[in-house]
Structures are given as structure tokens and as C-alpha cells.
């Protein structure tokens, strides 16, 4: 079991930046895919970005060019640098992990992920 804890959410103005971090512990030395999802009330949890242990990196089209995902295996952390934020980026952001790799298509499937953090709120004011 991998424990995940997000941090770094908050309130920012349109066009601003935030950096989210997720600390993985437990069996974090396994070959993990680490992924960010987000969810707004009443809607499904949507894929944002993923980084696989095979160095694959994938983004949702809505964040490509604005968000950057990175991982530091020595510390077991994955970060999401979010720039040029828009009001539609407002959501609870969740970190998720599973042991293994995925493709640009399969990484988006929530059913792959057995480990989830509690989420961190990001609010972008217009």
C-alpha cells in the first residue's frame, strides 16, 4: 500500500501560478505511475497529468502547455507546476498511484489507481 499526501493548494487570481506536491510513502520504492486528477462537485474525477516509472509523461489537452508534472524518485514526490491558471481549473486536485506503467490512453483510466490522496483545493478567482 502506498500512502499519498497532497499539499500546495490555495486561492490564486486568473493568470497566476501554483505548485502542488504529493508525497508518497509506504511502498513508494515500487515502480509507480504517479498521476494528478481533479474533480469539481457533481462531475467525474478527470485526468490532469501522469508520470510513469518508464519516464512517460502525459497531459490532458486542457492543461497542455500550462501545467508541468515532475517526479523526484529519491524523495518519493510528484509535483504539478500550474501556470496561467484559469477559473475552469478550479477543483479539488488528487494525487493517485499504481504499481506499473501505462500509456497516454490507459493512464487516464481512474480504475487503474488503487492509491489516492485526500485532495487539495485549488481555486482560481476571475
Amino acid at each position: 500500500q502506498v500512502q499519498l499526501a497532497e499539499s500546495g493548494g490555495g486561492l490564486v487570481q486568473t493568470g497566476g501560478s501554483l505548485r502542488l506536491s504529493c508525497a508518497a510513502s509506504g511502498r513508494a520504492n515500487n515502480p509507480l505511475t504517479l498521476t494528478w486528477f481533479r474533480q469539481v462537485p457533481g462531475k467525474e474525477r478527470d485526468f490532469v497529468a501522469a508520470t510513469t516509472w518508464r519516464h512517460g509523461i502525459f497531459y490532458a489537452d486542457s492543461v497542455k502547455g500550462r501545467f508541468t508534472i515532475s517526479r523526484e524518485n529519491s524523495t518519493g514526490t510528484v509535483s504539478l507546476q500550474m501556470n496561467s491558471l484559469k477559473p475552469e481549473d478550479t477543483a479539488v486536485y488528487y494525487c493517485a498511484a499504481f504499481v506499473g506503467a501505462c500509456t497516454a490512453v490507459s493512464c487516464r483510466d481512474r480504475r487503474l489507481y488503487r492509491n489516492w490522496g485526500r485532495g487539495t483545493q485549488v481555486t482560481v478567482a476571475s
Side-chain angles (χ1 to χ4, degrees), residues 33 69 115:
T33 285
I69 190 171
N115 305 281

Side-chain angles (χ1 to χ4, degrees), residues 9-56:
L11 172 65
V12 65
Q13 297 294 315
T14 296
S17 298
L18 280 175
R19 185 177 182 86
L20 306 182
S21 294
C22 174
S25 59
R27 304 178 71 176
N29 58 336
N30 286 337
L32 296 175
T33 285
L34 297 167
T35 299
W36 289 96
F37 287 83
R38 66 186 181 186
Q39 188 172 23
V40 298
K43 294 191 175 181
E44 292 187 345
R45 195 166 295 187
D46 292 332
F47 170 81
V48 176
T51 170
T52 76
W53 66 274
R54 292 181 175 176
H55 309 295

Side-chain angles (χ1 to χ4, degrees), residues 97-99 101-102 106-115:
F98 77 95
V99 179
C102 50
S106 63
C107 281
R108 300 164 188 261
D109 189 345
R110 297 187 303 273
R111 296 171 296 178
L112 282 180
Y113 298 87
R114 301 188 63 179
N115 305 281

Side-chain angles (χ1 to χ4, degrees), residues 23-92:
S25 59
R27 304 178 71 176
N29 58 336
N30 286 337
L32 296 175
T33 285
L34 297 167
T35 299
W36 289 96
F37 287 83
R38 66 186 181 186
Q39 188 172 23
V40 298
K43 294 191 175 181
E44 292 187 345
R45 195 166 295 187
D46 292 332
F47 170 81
V48 176
T51 170
T52 76
W53 66 274
R54 292 181 175 176
H55 309 295
I57 292 180
F58 310 111
Y59 295 99
D61 288 345
S62 59
V63 306
K64 201 172 294 184
R66 300 188 298 123
F67 290 12
T68 302
I69 190 171
S70 60
R71 66 190 289 162
E72 179 54 62
N73 290 326
S74 63
T75 58
T77 59
V78 59
S79 298
L80 187 69
Q81 178 65 42
M82 306 185 295
N83 298 329
S84 302
L85 283 161
K86 305 175 182 179
E88 51 263 44
D89 295 317
T90 296
V92 177

